[in-house]
Amino acid sequence: MDGGARACRIWDRLAAVPLSMEQLLHRLGGVSTRAALIELTSRAAVDRALREGRLVRVAHGRYALPTVDAARRAAAVLHGVVSHRSAAAYWGWGMKLMPDQPCITVARNRKLPPHRREGVELHWGQPSAADVVDGWVTSPARTFVDCCRDLPFDQVLAIADSALRSRSFTSPGLLEIARSMRGPGRARCLRVAHEATGEAANPFESVLRAIALGVPGLGVRPQVLVLDEPFSVRPDLSDERLRIALEADSFEWHGNRDALKRDCRRYNLLVAHGWRVLRFTWEDVMLEPEHVRRTLLAVVGLAERRAKVHRGELGPA
């Protein structure tokens, strides 16, 4: 499936459910292109959200929730800089979880009374002048490093994938940042840099991949061409050795009959060629990752046994 058809599949599912602009942005990882928002809602709805301040432009053609502006105001009040997930939103990167409060970094020796810390996610550090852009937000490189230090692997992988997808970094550039990092979080930063890819369509797929990477024996890659006849099939994630395909299904129903027919044919074709196809909802991946992990462990066990039987190492069950 080419990029345009794949995007249509995602949008078809999203468009099937009426969501507010805020809910839609959260589902899309906190940021989106104007074209995608118009496709999912309407030009009038996007323009209205912009006028009402429910949507802000963070880069050319990219929009986010107004938490970015709130973070800049909070940084000015606290004499700090916007950092971590708030900075990631400013740079237009999608993420697993948008911050509920502005993420602000202040000087390491700064003392703030409890009442001044209310309503912000406060961090202490000492960004250099080179680490800060325009005097108020951490640079892309420093933002990536901060997130690696303070966020779980799945959240950082989603951010790194989005940063590559938006071309804020190249893969070699991301690896160079990780290798030059010192102190806490370096191992996680290196792992993320090695695993990150711009092939993931959204944070939903990135988080599913993060879960799969923690399952022993499972080696998934995104958007690999696994079948080419009668039409091309590229599962969201696939393990070619075990012939396991993982699909990140945005919703449990489809936007129209064409989308339903397209997906049914893809899944049936994979099964007909000996693949196991697992479909996970957004709620499964984002809210119940342990359920997803247990499911993957069970299926990997079955696939490994099937492979051993095929090789003659085990008798039939």
Side-chain angles (χ1 to χ4, degrees), residues 247-266:
E247 291 287 327
D249 277 340
S250 296
F251 290 94
E252 296 173 342
W253 54 88
H254 298 75
N256 55 52
R257 296 295 299 178
D258 287 342
L260 175 62
K261 182 172 73 174
R262 184 166 57 241
D263 278 1
C264 285
R265 285 186 174 181
R266 291 174 68 251

Side-chain angles (χ1 to χ4, degrees), residues 266-316:
R266 291 174 68 251
Y267 302 146
N268 290 343
L269 191 61
L270 284 167
V271 172
H273 282 77
W275 285 73
R276 284 185 168 94
V277 181
L278 299 177
R279 300 169 63 185
F280 295 101
T281 66
W282 187 92
E283 288 79 6
D284 284 337
V285 172
M286 298 301 201
L287 305 179
E288 299 187 57
E290 184 56 29
H291 161 73
V292 175
R293 192 185 74 85
R294 288 197 304 268
T295 301
L296 293 178
L297 280 169
V299 173
V300 168
L302 289 172
E304 293 281 15
R305 179 174 178 81
R306 181 177 66 177
K308 289 180 180 180
V309 170
H310 181 72
R311 294 194 298 267
E313 298 173 16
L314 288 175

Side-chain angles (χ1 to χ4, degrees), residues 38-307:
I38 290 174
E39 178 73 18
L40 293 169
T41 57
S42 68
R43 189 178 303 276
V46 172
D47 290 341
R48 182 168 59 253
L50 284 166
R51 287 196 305 271
E52 294 172 355
R54 294 182 291 114
L55 191 66
V56 297
R57 181 179 179 273
V58 294
H60 179 68
R62 294 181 70 79
Y63 295 86
L65 297 172
T67 50
V68 174
D69 285 346
R72 184 171 184 173
R73 291 192 295 270
V77 169
L78 295 174
H79 302 287
V81 295
V82 175
S83 64
H84 295 75
R85 288 181 294 162
S86 291
Y90 172 76
W91 294 118
W93 305 340
M95 60 196 82
K96 177 185 179 182
L97 297 172
M98 287 292 289
D100 294 328
Q101 301 173 327
C103 304
I104 307 298
T105 293
V106 297
R108 190 171 286 115
N109 60 355
R110 184 85 182 280
K111 291 182 173 59
L112 290 172
H115 73 275
R116 297 200 65 193
R117 303 180 193 180
E118 292 179 0
V120 297
E121 179 183 300
L122 202 59
H123 300 269
W124 280 265
Q126 205 68 49
S128 67
D131 288 332
V132 179
V133 176
D134 294 334
W136 66 273
V137 61
T138 53
S139 67
R142 177 59 188 248
T143 300
F144 172 62
V145 167
D146 284 343
C147 289
C148 284
R149 285 198 170 113
D150 295 323
L151 295 178
F153 173 74
D154 62 342
Q155 292 194 41
V156 188
L157 184 63
I159 288 171
D161 283 353
S162 183
L164 290 176
R165 194 163 55 245
S166 65
R167 300 183 181 179
S168 295
F169 302 112
T170 62
S171 292
L174 205 61
L175 278 168
E176 180 59 31
I177 292 169
R179 291 184 181 123
S180 63
M181 182 179 171
R182 296 292 179 268
R186 185 174 187 271
R188 184 185 302 141
C189 196
L190 283 167
R191 184 187 178 200
V192 169
H194 279 289
E195 298 291 356
T197 172
E199 292 293 324
N202 50 48
F204 176 19
E205 287 187 20
S206 297
V207 175
L208 177 57
R209 190 166 94 260
I211 298 170
L213 288 170
V215 174
L218 185 61
V220 297
R221 293 192 295 152
Q223 302 305 316
V224 174
L225 178 65
V226 299
L227 296 176
D228 202 17
E229 294 181 359
F231 53 88
S232 62
V233 179
R234 295 178 183 269
D236 293 335
L237 297 169
S238 57
D239 182 321
E240 295 175 276
R241 182 181 70 88
L242 296 178
R243 299 179 81 79
I244 294 174
L246 310 183
E247 291 287 327
D249 277 340
S250 296
F251 290 94
E252 296 173 342
W253 54 88
H254 298 75
N256 55 52
R257 296 295 299 178
D258 287 342
L260 175 62
K261 182 172 73 174
R262 184 166 57 241
D263 278 1
C264 285
R265 285 186 174 181
R266 291 174 68 251
Y267 302 146
N268 290 343
L269 191 61
L270 284 167
V271 172
H273 282 77
W275 285 73
R276 284 185 168 94
V277 181
L278 299 177
R279 300 169 63 185
F280 295 101
T281 66
W282 187 92
E283 288 79 6
D284 284 337
V285 172
M286 298 301 201
L287 305 179
E288 299 187 57
E290 184 56 29
H291 161 73
V292 175
R293 192 185 74 85
R294 288 197 304 268
T295 301
L296 293 178
L297 280 169
V299 173
V300 168
L302 289 172
E304 293 281 15
R305 179 174 178 81
R306 181 177 66 177

